[in-house]
Amino acid sequence: MSGTDQLSAVFSALADPTRRVILAGLAEGDATVTELTARLPISMPAVSRHLKVLEGATLISRTRSGKWRASHLEAAPLREAADWIERYREFWDTSLTRLDAHLAAVQAAERAGVTTEHDLGRPAHSTTDLEEP
Amino acid sequence: MSGTDQLSAVFSALADPTRRVILAGLAEGDATVTELTARLPISMPAVSRHLKVLEGATLISRTRSGKWRASHLEAAPLREAADWIERYREFWDTSLTRLDAHLAAVQAAERAGVTTEHDLGRPAHSTTDLEEP
DNA sequence: CATACATTTAACGCACTCGTTAAATGAATG
DNA sequence: CATTCATTTAACGAGTGCGTTAAATGTATG
């Protein structure tokens, strides 16, 4: 997963149920690999690599304390993920009827000068690639 | 990706930058595969399969309208994802000092009867697996 | 310093992802 | 009804993810 942007790394890390469980566990306090493994149905090496993934997404940090390495939750990157999703809140939060949604889409399209379902017959052959805001 | 839970499917779908761009595009209005492809640096079959992934995560729906198939943003599943992340807001939202975080972790641990960094020497060999709330 | 404990790395298997190009399918249209 | 346009499926290759077991590494401790 080399060259992956931060946001992708975070979403990718969250896509695994085991890692979400690990994060939930760390929310209750720092823990070692052995402790986390004791509560999971997988081997210790597997847990170790899940932690490596989480560390790669900077969702955890780890400190060596003598013989042990404790994992610590670093929730900051979750803010970025939350912010990304929040931009879509209007699309699920409002009680949009199908017509309202349609009109909203049309307005957004006109605002952005984008081709919509009304003129699918002449697709927008814009040359500019889409970008993430 | 058979047998994947909804939340994992959503996070997994969001983990790809191209798919996030597609969702952003659909937020401005429904669009066809051809239209989306015109604004992306990849082939149409590639876009088609991205849409299939998004559909699998129920992040979009598609309707056939004559010759064309328009994709429509279905943001509802994002709510679930947002809710999951929101539970960690306290961990990034508050101005936790390192000491505060430490104390919070200890309190959470005591509340849950979980072993913390204080007694890493005697790991919790609990038999119950962690679960997602 | 030899032994034990905590953790990681190595090596393997299997399944999936993401891109490509070429071929197949669906649905108007002349 | 043959052609054309929109879209999907097939087949391939390179890369990645997630689990395993066995071996290596780090760090106390007797």
Side-chain angles (χ1 to χ4, degrees):
Chain A
M1 197 200 291
S2 59
T4 307
D5 59 292
Q6 170 75 2
L7 192 50
S8 296
V10 170
F11 279 135
S12 183
L14 297 182
D16 186 285
T18 300
R19 283 194 289 267
R20 293 200 301 275
V21 167
I22 290 176
L23 290 178
L26 293 179
E28 296 175 345
D30 297 1
T32 65
V33 182
T34 303
E35 288 171 322
L36 292 169
T37 302
R39 310 182 126 240
L40 288 167
I42 59 177
S43 67
M44 181 141 45
V47 174
S48 180
R49 275 205 325 247
H50 277 305
L51 292 175
K52 199 173 190 176
V53 171
L54 291 170
E55 193 176 25
T58 64
L59 282 166
I60 68 167
S61 60
R62 286 190 284 183
T63 57
R64 191 151 226 127
S65 174
K67 205 160 161 179
W68 299 274
R69 283 190 81 186
S71 293
H72 177 77
L73 177 65
E74 299 284 355
L78 289 179
R79 182 175 146 74
E80 196 185 344
D83 286 349
W84 189 92
I85 296 181
E86 278 306 315
R87 299 207 317 269
Y88 294 86
R89 174 176 286 282
E90 58 170 314
F91 290 97
W92 79 72
D93 217 20
T94 69
S95 58
L96 283 180
T97 65
R98 195 158 284 274
L99 176 59
D100 288 339
H102 172 80
L103 292 176
V106 170
Q107 286 170 8
E110 286 175 350
R111 196 187 323 127
V114 162
T115 302
T116 70
E117 50 189 332
H118 286 292
D119 35 14
L120 292 181
R122 36 188 178 82
H125 282 296
S126 70
T127 53
T128 56
D129 288 356
L130 285 170
E131 284 177 12
E132 291 196 79
Chain B
M1 201 202 286
S2 59
T4 306
D5 59 293
Q6 170 77 1
L7 192 50
S8 296
V10 170
F11 279 135
S12 184
L14 297 182
D16 187 286
T18 299
R19 283 193 290 266
R20 293 201 301 275
V21 166
I22 290 176
L23 290 178
L26 293 179
E28 296 174 344
D30 297 1
T32 66
V33 182
T34 302
E35 288 170 324
L36 292 169
T37 302
R39 310 183 126 240
L40 288 167
I42 59 177
S43 68
M44 182 143 44
V47 174
S48 180
R49 275 204 323 249
H50 278 305
L51 292 174
K52 200 173 190 178
V53 171
L54 291 170
E55 194 175 24
T58 64
L59 282 166
I60 68 169
S61 61
R62 285 190 285 182
T63 58
R64 197 159 216 124
S65 175
K67 205 161 163 179
W68 301 274
R69 282 189 82 186
S71 293
H72 177 76
L73 177 64
E74 298 285 354
L78 289 179
R79 182 176 145 74
E80 195 185 345
D83 287 348
W84 190 92
I85 295 180
E86 279 306 315
R87 299 207 318 269
Y88 294 86
R89 175 176 286 281
E90 59 170 314
F91 289 96
W92 79 71
D93 215 23
T94 69
S95 59
L96 283 179
T97 64
R98 195 158 284 274
L99 176 58
D100 288 338
H102 171 80
L103 292 177
V106 170
Q107 287 169 7
E110 287 174 350
R111 196 189 325 126
V114 162
T115 302
T116 71
E117 51 190 330
H118 287 292
D119 36 14
L120 292 182
R122 34 187 181 80
H125 281 296
S126 70
T127 53
T128 55
D129 287 358
L130 285 170
E131 284 178 15
E132 293 197 78

